Amino acid sequence: MATSAFKTTDRIIDASLALFNAKGFANVPMSTIAMTVGISPGNLNYHFKSKADIVLAVYPLLQDALRQSKSAGEPFDAREGVRQLLEILRTMWRYRFFFNGLLQLLSDDRALRRRYQEMERNMVASIQAILDELIEQGDMHEIDAPNSTKILAHAWWMVWVSWLRFEQLESPRSAKPRNAALYDCIFLTVNLAQPYFVRAVVDAMLDALNAELPQSVLATARRQRLAAPKRARTARVGSSVA
Amino acid sequence: MATSAFKTTDRIIDASLALFNAKGFANVPMSTIAMTVGISPGNLNYHFKSKADIVLAVYPLLQDALRQSKSAGEPFDAREGVRQLLEILRTMWRYRFFFNGLLQLLSDDRALRRRYQEMERNMVASIQAILDELIEQGDMHEIDAPNSTKILAHAWWMVWVSWLRFEQLESPRSAKPRNAALYDCIFLTVNLAQPYFVRAVVDAMLDALNAELPQSVLATARRQRLAAPKRARTARVGSSVA
């Protein structure tokens, strides 16, 4: 893995993402990317035909992480699952200009929009396939119709995309997501599946989460972000019950 | 309710939303809003000090719908719950320029960002209060720690916001959300709560959903949007099991 970080395609992606996140996708021409990476426009064109192709390179990264999160046919390893969830969220964060600016970016480009929507459908399908395999392997209970693994897969993807936006509102200038935010998103992900995962899997994932992220962050995360904000209706509920 | 639609504040909000959605928030000065509504700038200023104040007027609308979705102390009425969920989604759709363009809109305006985040926390708290009341009234089971009504409330809100984005990608120029999209979002919302709601509540909500939206849409919705897309991993999963 270490050597691949130095490949030209990776360097192009790194440079492009830094530029897109800093200046906005529309304001970075291909020529600037070539110049920043230190290659010719022709060489850049050999690797990526357009900025859209650079953006959509996020898809194989996310698919790889999903595949590694649950090796097909192998017993589920909660620690690996949590690590790959972290990888997915960090990758999405690197592409935050994209996920957070989708409507602006895609509104004028019908072809890119269709490719993005296909990518999104494939992501949800891949998540669902993992959930189906967890059921086959006994790590997860069957889900009663009309509810389904498809619904849960949709919900996970929606939460991950929303989380990006929450975190960027929280720390607009940050180059990295805060550990507390990563913790919360995975905590939410696990808990959405909690009624369906067997108890041991939930416990193993929460243990792995606590092992991957410093304990002090857990406390912060719990207190700050999942702590009960003022409950606007409490008074009314209380009085109606009393 | 009918008369309030003709109040000046409502006319201002309607005109502003149409302008914001069509031209973008940044491109609509207060003077254009005043001119479109046919009132003086001074009169507009009497109702709303700034465009931010017009935007944040979405909050009482959403809070009202939440309050009506479950009257405090009364038995839960699934039909009313579904109707108010529809109201919430339609209201959020009217404000889609805002929810979908948050990062752009809020990145330069720290005060608006803080007000928005407070609004979001209050929304989640209000949803949670409703869930807590459903538990008190026996419509919902207790949720095992560390999972909680707070987590479910967060997930609901995230799904609603994500849904807006999905739907706008799907029909970028549409003035109204498609019924199939509304159906799907409520279907997802109900199913996220399915393990916690008592069976009769889930059934009543799905019945109410089918009653509120035409049956044909249900079929379309199911087939098109929640139908299984190609399952990328199926082959591998199959082969590993065989």
Side-chain angles (χ1 to χ4, degrees):
Chain A
M1 289 300 281
T3 56
S4 77
F6 297 96
K7 285 196 312 186
T8 306
T9 51
D10 291 328
R11 282 169 49 219
I12 294 170
I13 290 174
D14 281 347
S16 303
L17 293 180
L19 288 165
F20 294 158
N21 283 320
K23 302 182 179 216
F25 184 72
N27 305 320
V28 181
M30 285 289 269
S31 57
T32 302
I33 297 171
M35 207 164 58
T36 307
V37 180
I39 59 178
S40 70
N43 193 2
L44 174 57
N45 190 61
Y46 167 80
H47 290 283
F48 294 102
K49 297 276 168 270
S50 67
K51 290 196 288 181
D53 290 315
I54 300 177
V55 167
L56 293 172
V58 68
Y59 177 56
L61 296 179
L62 294 177
Q63 281 289 348
D64 272 0
L66 275 183
R67 246 189 307 275
Q68 289 177 52
S69 73
K70 167 73 188 75
S71 300
E74 300 290 321
F76 176 61
D77 177 339
R79 184 122 191 199
E80 193 57 30
V82 166
R83 279 189 186 142
Q84 296 302 330
L85 270 175
L86 274 169
E87 180 64 26
I88 288 168
L89 296 177
R90 288 185 171 131
T91 300
M92 291 176 76
W93 176 262
R94 287 176 67 209
Y95 283 81
R96 62 195 178 281
F97 79 93
F98 178 56
F99 289 103
N100 286 329
L102 274 175
L103 286 161
Q104 284 71 30
L105 295 180
L106 302 185
S107 62
D108 298 326
D109 189 336
R110 198 185 163 85
L112 180 58
R113 186 165 80 235
R114 290 297 158 208
R115 287 172 73 189
Y116 173 76
Q117 288 175 312
E118 192 194 339
M119 177 188 111
E120 198 156 56
R121 277 193 298 273
N122 285 336
M123 284 298 296
V124 172
S126 300
I127 298 168
Q128 190 199 342
I130 291 173
L131 296 173
D132 287 338
E133 204 186 322
L134 289 175
I135 291 177
E136 278 179 50
Q137 297 190 337
D139 293 314
M140 199 173 150
H141 311 293
E142 293 279 352
I143 299 185
D144 290 341
N147 202 351
S148 66
T149 50
K150 201 180 308 161
I151 303 269
L152 182 56
H154 264 280
W156 273 10
W157 177 252
M158 286 180 155
V159 163
W160 298 345
V161 174
S162 278
W163 165 82
L164 269 185
R165 213 204 40 158
F166 277 98
E167 178 55 7
Q168 211 182 342
L169 281 176
E170 202 62 53
S171 19
R173 312 265 173 251
S174 174
K176 289 205 301 186
R178 295 163 309 139
N179 280 342
L182 291 167
Y183 186 98
D184 284 355
C185 186
I186 296 179
F187 189 69
L188 196 61
T189 301
V190 173
N191 277 311
L192 283 178
Q194 179 255 328
Y196 313 113
F197 282 1
V198 299
R199 184 76 209 190
V201 169
V202 174
D203 290 345
M205 289 192 78
L206 293 177
D207 286 350
L209 177 57
N210 290 333
E212 284 298 318
L213 294 171
Q215 191 65 30
S216 62
V217 171
L218 156 63
T220 317
R222 284 228 167 128
R223 233 173 281 137
Q224 284 187 353
R225 303 203 11 128
L226 293 171
K230 260 197 180 156
R231 282 163 54 179
R233 290 167 54 102
T234 305
R236 288 177 54 214
V237 173
S239 62
S240 71
V241 166
Chain B
M1 291 297 282
T3 55
S4 78
F6 298 94
K7 284 196 313 185
T8 306
T9 52
D10 290 328
R11 281 169 50 219
I12 294 170
I13 290 174
D14 281 346
S16 303
L17 292 181
L19 288 165
F20 294 157
N21 283 320
K23 303 182 179 217
F25 183 72
N27 305 319
V28 181
M30 286 288 270
S31 57
T32 303
I33 297 170
M35 208 164 58
T36 307
V37 180
I39 58 177
S40 69
N43 193 1
L44 174 57
N45 189 60
Y46 167 79
H47 290 283
F48 294 102
K49 297 276 168 272
S50 68
K51 291 197 287 180
D53 289 317
I54 300 177
V55 168
L56 293 172
V58 68
Y59 177 57
L61 296 178
L62 295 177
Q63 282 288 351
D64 272 0
L66 276 183
R67 243 189 308 274
Q68 290 176 52
S69 72
K70 168 73 188 76
S71 300
E74 299 291 319
F76 176 60
D77 176 339
R79 185 121 193 199
E80 193 57 30
V82 166
R83 279 190 185 140
Q84 296 302 329
L85 270 175
L86 274 169
E87 179 64 25
I88 288 168
L89 296 178
R90 288 184 170 131
T91 301
M92 290 176 77
W93 176 262
R94 289 176 66 209
Y95 283 81
R96 63 194 177 282
F97 79 92
F98 178 57
F99 289 104
N100 286 327
L102 274 174
L103 286 160
Q104 285 71 29
L105 295 181
L106 303 186
S107 62
D108 298 326
D109 189 335
R110 197 184 163 86
L112 180 57
R113 186 164 80 236
R114 292 295 159 210
R115 287 172 72 187
Y116 172 76
Q117 289 175 312
E118 191 194 340
M119 177 189 111
E120 198 156 56
R121 277 192 297 273
N122 285 337
M123 284 299 296
V124 172
S126 299
I127 298 168
Q128 189 197 342
I130 291 174
L131 296 173
D132 287 338
E133 202 185 323
L134 289 175
I135 291 177
E136 276 179 52
Q137 297 190 335
D139 293 313
M140 198 174 152
H141 310 294
E142 292 278 352
I143 299 185
D144 290 340
N147 202 350
S148 65
T149 50
K150 202 181 307 163
I151 303 269
L152 182 57
H154 265 279
W156 274 9
W157 177 251
M158 285 181 156
V159 163
W160 299 345
V161 174
S162 278
W163 164 83
L164 269 185
R165 213 205 38 159
F166 277 98
E167 178 55 7
Q168 211 182 342
L169 281 176
E170 202 64 52
S171 16
R173 312 266 172 249
S174 175
K176 289 205 301 186
R178 295 161 310 137
N179 279 342
L182 291 168
Y183 186 98
D184 284 356
C185 187
I186 296 178
F187 188 68
L188 196 61
T189 301
V190 173
N191 277 309
L192 282 177
Q194 180 255 327
Y196 313 112
F197 282 0
V198 300
R199 183 78 210 189
V201 170
V202 174
D203 290 345
M205 288 191 79
L206 293 177
D207 286 349
L209 177 57
N210 290 333
E212 284 298 318
L213 293 171
Q215 191 66 30
S216 62
V217 171
L218 157 64
T220 317
R222 284 230 167 127
R223 233 173 280 137
Q224 285 186 355
R225 306 209 1 135
L226 292 171
K230 262 197 179 150
R231 282 161 54 178
R233 292 167 54 103
T234 305
R236 287 178 55 215
V237 173
S239 63
S240 72
V241 166

